[in-house]
Amino acid sequence: MTNSTEPQDPEDRRLTRLRWRNDTSWIKPDRRVPFGHVLYAAATLGRSPADIVSRLTELGYDDIELPATPLPRTVDPDDALLLKGDTYNFSWLEVGKPVSLRNLLAAAGRHGRSPAEAARRLTAFGCPVPADHPLPDTPDTRDIVLIRTGPGGNGEWLDWGAEASIGHVRNVTWTLQCNPHTVATRLTALGIRLPYTPEPEDERILRDPGEPVLAIAQETGRRPADIVSRLAELGHPRPSTVPDTLEADDLRILSEELDGRAPWLERNTVVGVQLRHILRAALATGRSPADIAKRLDTLGHWLHENAKLPAVADVADIRLLETVDRSFLDGVHLEHVLRSASLTGRSPADVASRLTALGYRLPDEVDYPEVRALHR
């Protein structure tokens, strides 16, 4: 006979209403009692699961979910909570039903368990984990983020044996601010397939998206063409062609500080490399501006066609160009000329003449003063 009234004994009432933080697992005699509720009641009340089942049966709870395996003698609260089916409300996993990858990783992450350990405990409780290969023995709370594919709301999730796209790896990398190789190797460890097989050197290759291919090749001992090919496989496009040999000054002229180290020169596909960088590199290496420009072009940094290279690098030109915030696609107007004149101590006419000689576009109808500005 089913009892529809709530137990009066305080200990019995605790069997029917289990608290976890702000959530409650509440059972009724006319509904099936989840096995997770039984385990959590045993853990929190310090009793065996068999005792909990016996007492619930006496109270009129006739339909109690139980596994095909023998009941454990004791249960740890954290073990019981592995069967919690959702992070944000008190639902329980169904005994005998395969556990989704999302539920496994969420449970492992909540309790600081590794996926392998969480899988062993869930399987022992009658919730089979369908992994067809060994799961990671190291915990990582970021695992649940790795398999999320849908933004907003409850999201969408990769499940066992699914394939993650290169774009998915890239999106997770951006979210977690980590190396793409870290994401790729963890995904494969979780049984997620990828369009490529992660290799140990991928971590080095993908460490800095702005690093020149030649710098990676020098450190790894691989041919630049091999690096470019591998980057393409990993979904990170680079120049279609790069020199197959490294010249002595290459890394130096590719670095912003001309010291052969990061920060590296950023590739600008709209207006090209800055003329002042070419002139600075020419002075630093003792090479001509034309030679530097040619090599940088080979390395993927082209000079805009409007630019006019001087035969030799001059410190005065570099100083002037440091005051110009216009590209070779922009017009240089009177206010820009006057600003550069003020900063360099040159006359507006001299500044206008020199900028024209270097390829900048200035309006013809302006008469620029020959008087030098007060140098500041």
Side-chain angles (χ1 to χ4, degrees):
M1 178 177 176
T2 300
N3 182 9
S4 59
T5 63
E6 186 174 336
Q8 299 303 308
D9 185 270
E11 186 77 359
D12 288 340
R13 284 201 298 271
R14 290 182 65 191
L15 287 178
T16 63
R17 292 174 180 248
L18 298 174
R19 297 285 298 173
W20 182 78
R21 297 181 181 174
N22 294 323
D23 294 324
T24 302
S25 179
W26 184 14
I27 60 171
K28 294 182 178 181
D30 58 346
R31 296 180 184 176
R32 193 175 203 198
V33 179
F35 183 51
H37 184 97
V38 172
L39 291 180
Y40 193 53
T44 55
L45 299 177
R47 299 164 66 177
S48 72
D51 286 344
I52 299 297
V53 171
S54 177
R55 184 56 183 159
L56 286 174
T57 302
E58 293 173 359
L59 293 172
Y61 293 85
D62 301 324
D63 188 5
I64 302 175
E65 181 185 49
L66 296 173
T69 55
L71 295 177
R73 292 183 179 180
T74 60
V75 185
D76 180 86
D78 281 348
D79 279 348
L81 285 171
L82 288 175
L83 275 72
K84 191 170 178 288
D86 194 280
T87 302
Y88 304 107
N89 61 64
F90 224 144
S91 60
W92 298 102
L93 297 179
E94 184 178 339
V95 170
K97 183 179 180 180
V99 179
S100 69
L101 181 58
R102 176 194 175 185
N103 283 137
L104 173 70
L105 298 184
R110 283 196 303 267
H111 302 287
R113 307 287 185 89
S114 72
E117 183 183 3
R120 287 191 291 269
R121 299 306 298 152
L122 285 169
T123 300
F125 289 140
C127 298
V129 175
D132 58 359
H133 74 287
L135 290 167
D137 276 312
T138 54
D140 194 328
T141 56
R142 301 175 298 178
D143 283 344
I144 192 66
V145 180
L146 297 183
I147 66 167
R148 181 167 184 154
T149 61
N154 210 26
E156 297 175 2
W157 311 84
L158 298 172
D159 210 346
W160 303 106
E163 179 169 322
S165 66
I166 290 176
H168 176 78
V169 174
R170 187 182 299 114
N171 291 339
V172 174
T173 297
W174 183 86
T175 300
L176 297 178
Q177 293 297 294
C178 64
N179 192 297
H181 182 64
T182 302
V183 174
T185 53
R186 189 68 176 186
L187 281 170
T188 56
L190 294 171
I192 302 298
R193 295 176 291 114
L194 295 173
Y196 60 88
T197 302
E199 298 175 357
E201 281 191 348
D202 289 347
E203 183 174 12
R204 171 64 190 87
I205 291 173
L206 298 173
R207 187 172 67 191
D208 179 0
E211 187 173 20
V213 169
L214 293 181
I216 301 172
Q218 183 184 55
E219 184 173 331
T220 60
R222 297 176 63 175
R223 295 172 57 246
D226 293 339
I227 302 295
V228 171
S229 177
R230 183 58 180 168
L231 284 168
E233 292 175 2
L234 298 174
H236 294 260
R238 290 296 183 98
S240 56
T241 58
V242 293
D244 209 34
T245 57
L246 180 69
E247 294 185 359
D249 292 329
D250 281 349
L251 296 184
R252 192 175 184 186
I253 66 177
L254 284 171
S255 59
E256 289 187 3
E257 303 301 326
L258 299 170
D259 55 6
R261 297 191 299 269
W264 302 102
L265 196 62
E266 292 187 10
R267 181 173 290 104
N268 191 316
T269 60
V270 178
V271 296
V273 66
Q274 292 182 335
L275 177 57
R276 71 169 177 269
H277 180 81
I278 291 177
L279 300 184
R280 289 175 60 240
L283 285 178
T285 60
R287 297 164 65 176
S288 70
D291 189 20
I292 296 294
K294 181 178 179 181
R295 186 58 181 172
L296 281 174
D297 185 74
T298 303
L299 298 173
H301 295 269
W302 49 271
L303 181 63
H304 196 276
E305 60 182 7
N306 290 345
K308 298 177 182 178
L309 276 173
V312 296
D314 190 316
V315 174
D317 282 342
I318 296 172
R319 171 64 177 147
L320 174 61
L321 292 172
E322 287 174 345
T323 69
V324 179
D325 60 0
R326 312 290 285 173
S327 77
F328 285 103
L329 287 175
D330 302 320
V332 176
H333 303 293
L334 177 60
E335 62 268 26
H336 305 122
V337 172
L338 295 177
R339 178 178 181 274
S340 293
S342 175
L343 292 172
T344 59
R346 300 167 69 165
S347 72
D350 185 26
V351 167
S353 175
R354 191 55 188 162
L355 289 178
T356 300
L358 294 174
Y360 285 93
R361 294 180 300 156
L362 281 75
D364 295 333
E365 64 277 9
V366 178
D367 292 326
Y368 298 98
E370 297 284 354
V371 179
R372 289 193 175 203
L374 179 64
H375 184 62
R376 296 178 182 175

